[in-house]
Structure formats: structure tokens, C-alpha cells
Amino acid sequence: ATKTSAGKTFKLDQLKGKLVLLDFWASWCAPCRIANRKLVATYQQYKDKGFEVVSYSMDDKDKLWLDAIQKDGIPWIQVSDLTGFDNNPVAQAYYVKQLPTLFLIDENGTVIQQHIDHEELAAYLKKKYDHN
């Protein structure tokens, strides 16, 4: 079952009504770790405006997963079912073939952008939330 890093059960539809960045990553993926750290400031800037991030880890060892979250100072929702990458049902449902893979999901739960990078995301959030 998919659990948060705090051990709570998690379902994506808990976030209906928010703009969600769904991020598939793993502690052993160097580009993922760099991308995570880049995202922290962006998250802090928009989290109170309706933007949420969910990082879905492909780790299979909880210690490595939790250490990476702590070391990178990641403040957003962290989930994993600790089954690793190869047979991961959620990754398969989203056709994730490489890490990191990011999806932008709108308030209704529809994927609106796939493989979005940090610059594209920042531009999108700026346009969406900084108009006033």
C-alpha cells in the first residue's frame, strides 16, 4: 500500500482541488536529487496558493528513502510502497520508464503536462498564481 513518509495511507484524490506536481524519483537517482533541491524554493513560494507536490519514490529500502528526504530537506508529501522500480504498479500505470518523471495534474485530477522541467513549471506557476 502507498504510505507517506510518516506512515499514513495516501491516495492522490485526497488532493482534488489543488494543482499537483507528481514526481517519480528514487534516492539512488542523482538527477532526481538535484531536481528535488531545486524545487524547494518554488514549492515554498506557491504551496499556500493551491500548489502541492507529491514525490513518489521507487526505493525499496525505507532507510535510504527517508535519509534522502531528510538530507535534501524536502518539505512536501512523500509517498512510496517500497516495491522498487521494476514491478511498481503506480509507475506502470503512468508509463514511467525513467527517473525523474514529472506530471502536472490539474484541480480535477487530469494530467495536463508530462515530463515538465523546473523552468517550465516555474513559468506555469508564475502565470497561474502571480497575476495579481
Side-chain angles (χ1 to χ4, degrees):
T2 302
K3 298 243 188 273
T4 66
S5 51
K8 301 229 181 355
T9 303
F10 178 81
K11 285 191 168 54
L12 202 55
D13 59 17
Q14 289 169 219
L15 299 176
K16 259 215 157 78
K18 288 184 182 258
L19 179 72
V20 177
L21 183 71
L22 178 60
D23 161 38
F24 288 89
W25 75 294
S27 65
W28 41 260
C29 161
C32 301
R33 304 284 296 269
I34 294 163
N36 273 342
R37 290 194 286 270
K38 258 195 200 162
L39 188 56
V40 173
T42 305
Y43 175 72
Q44 301 293 12
Q45 190 179 346
Y46 294 105
K47 68 179 168 73
D48 297 329
K49 298 184 175 182
F51 174 61
E52 190 52 80
V53 179
V54 177
S55 282
Y56 197 105
S57 169
M58 299 289 108
D59 281 280
D60 55 5
K61 306 216 170 23
D62 66 346
K63 181 172 172 23
L64 295 175
W65 173 46
L66 299 171
D67 283 354
I69 295 170
Q70 194 179 3
K71 197 173 278 175
D72 297 350
I74 308 170
W76 56 81
I77 299 169
Q78 288 288 340
V79 297
S80 185
D81 45 27
L82 296 171
T83 55
F85 187 53
D86 292 336
N87 301 307
N88 190 288
V90 178
Q92 286 167 354
Y94 281 90
Y95 300 104
V96 174
K97 300 279 182 261
Q98 69 199 48
L99 300 177
T101 294
L102 294 108
F103 297 91
L104 195 59
I105 300 171
D106 73 8
E107 291 81 354
N108 304 311
T110 306
V111 173
I112 49 175
Q113 261 180 294
Q114 197 172 345
H115 303 298
I116 188 169
D117 67 26
H118 188 258
E119 284 66 35
E120 292 168 323
L121 175 68
Y124 183 91
L125 293 170
K126 193 173 167 53
K127 205 172 115 189
K128 184 174 174 69
Y129 295 119
D130 291 351
H131 43 75
N132 29 2

